[in-house]
Amino acid sequence: MAHLFLMRHGMSEWNKLGLWTGWTDVDLAPEGRNEARAAAKFFKDVAIQSVHTSTLKRAQQTFAEIQKELSWHDLEPCVSPALNERNYGVYTGLVKEEVRKKVGEEEYKKIRRGFSHPIPEGESLATVFERISCYFEDHVRPELRHGKNVLIVAHGNSLRALVKYLENIDDESIVDVHIETGEVYRYEFDSRGLLVGKQILKNAA
């Protein structure tokens, strides 16, 4: 049996401001560092053998806090843009609540949570789904088949896309999936690399 942990980075400085961040490379807020350290308890009793992060600072800083907390000195993460957050295009840097008021609740939900809804100069979640599912099959599932316990530290939308892939969630239902900052999903895989169990670990930091 192998375990896969999916963790959304801690709260960033732009999360605090309610801004659409996307590919903008912002730092963790102090609250986000606290969330990362608090989440370390979820990994204390599991021998993590492989770590994957995005190229963005908020994901790498989250792992760095966990690494310090658990003295994982020998663990170096594999870093890939395939795990990066969704590119929010023209909405990047805008205040989410102001966009909601401008476009209305229905359109806002499509922009923020929809699967195939286009984003001018940005990515749909469907595009993120393609890049992260390919990365998972090429780099992560082989590790799980070999019995390795894997941690992926990434972003709300890149992880939503991966959760959709792993759980075969339909395009309409993925709208209702939301992963909080500092939240962890724990999956169990059998020796064939097939999903057999799931647990959501809430961070109380």
Side-chain angles (χ1 to χ4, degrees), residues 163 167 169 177 185-188 195-200:
V163 166
E167 300 183 29
I169 298 173
V177 174
Y185 281 29
R186 176 176 179 162
Y187 292 99
E188 293 182 359
L195 178 63
V196 294
K198 174 191 174 183
Q199 183 181 12
I200 297 177

Side-chain angles (χ1 to χ4, degrees), residues 60-77:
Q60 295 182 27
Q61 290 169 355
T62 296
F63 173 65
E65 293 293 340
I66 295 168
Q67 188 176 36
K68 285 187 290 185
E69 192 75 11
L70 297 177
S71 298
W72 284 351
H73 304 303
D74 297 329
L75 268 179
E76 287 297 324

Side-chain angles (χ1 to χ4, degrees), residues 75-122:
L75 268 179
E76 287 297 324
C78 300
V79 178
S80 174
L83 302 177
N84 283 1
E85 177 58 292
R86 176 184 178 188
N87 181 354
Y88 266 109
V90 297
Y91 297 106
T92 302
L94 299 184
V95 178
K96 294 176 184 176
E97 284 305 310
E98 291 181 1
V99 174
R100 186 203 297 264
K101 291 174 185 176
K102 182 177 180 179
V103 303
E105 189 65 37
E106 184 177 350
E107 178 66 12
Y108 174 79
K109 191 171 185 179
K110 289 179 181 177
I111 294 168
R112 192 175 182 197
R113 299 266 186 251
F115 183 64
S116 300
H117 196 67
I119 299 292
E121 301 176 29

Side-chain angles (χ1 to χ4, degrees), residues 12-199:
S12 74
E13 293 290 355
W14 278 25
N15 289 141
K16 282 180 67 174
L17 298 173
L19 305 179
W20 258 310
T21 311
W23 287 1
T24 307
D25 203 10
V26 301
D27 289 304
L28 286 183
E31 296 91 332
R33 293 185 182 276
N34 290 337
E35 286 177 332
R37 288 191 292 270
K41 64 181 177 290
F42 298 137
F43 316 114
K44 273 188 174 181
D45 300 323
V46 181
I48 298 292
Q49 289 129 341
S50 178
V51 178
H52 302 258
T53 73
S54 77
T55 67
L56 300 172
K57 287 188 293 187
R58 56 196 186 272
Q60 295 182 27
Q61 290 169 355
T62 296
F63 173 65
E65 293 293 340
I66 295 168
Q67 188 176 36
K68 285 187 290 185
E69 192 75 11
L70 297 177
S71 298
W72 284 351
H73 304 303
D74 297 329
L75 268 179
E76 287 297 324
C78 300
V79 178
S80 174
L83 302 177
N84 283 1
E85 177 58 292
R86 176 184 178 188
N87 181 354
Y88 266 109
V90 297
Y91 297 106
T92 302
L94 299 184
V95 178
K96 294 176 184 176
E97 284 305 310
E98 291 181 1
V99 174
R100 186 203 297 264
K101 291 174 185 176
K102 182 177 180 179
V103 303
E105 189 65 37
E106 184 177 350
E107 178 66 12
Y108 174 79
K109 191 171 185 179
K110 289 179 181 177
I111 294 168
R112 192 175 182 197
R113 299 266 186 251
F115 183 64
S116 300
H117 196 67
I119 299 292
E121 301 176 29
E123 295 180 297
S124 68
L125 189 64
T127 302
V128 181
F129 179 90
E130 290 301 320
R131 60 173 159 89
I132 201 165
S133 58
C134 289
Y135 183 87
F136 177 82
E137 291 299 336
D138 290 343
H139 300 282
V140 180
R141 198 187 296 275
E143 294 181 327
L144 297 169
R145 286 197 184 110
H146 284 90
K148 288 186 177 182
N149 297 318
V150 180
L151 168 62
I152 298 176
V153 184
H155 307 268
N157 283 293
S158 55
L159 293 180
R160 284 177 66 232
L162 184 53
V163 166
K164 182 183 192 305
Y165 180 69
L166 295 176
E167 300 183 29
N168 196 28
I169 298 173
D170 63 58
D171 294 356
E172 290 73 31
S173 298
I174 195 60
V175 173
D176 299 318
V177 174
H178 174 64
I179 303 171
E180 300 285 349
T181 58
E183 190 169 79
V184 177
Y185 281 29
R186 176 176 179 162
Y187 292 99
E188 293 182 359
F189 288 79
D190 65 17
S191 59
R192 298 168 295 171
L194 300 179
L195 178 63
V196 294
K198 174 191 174 183
Q199 183 181 12

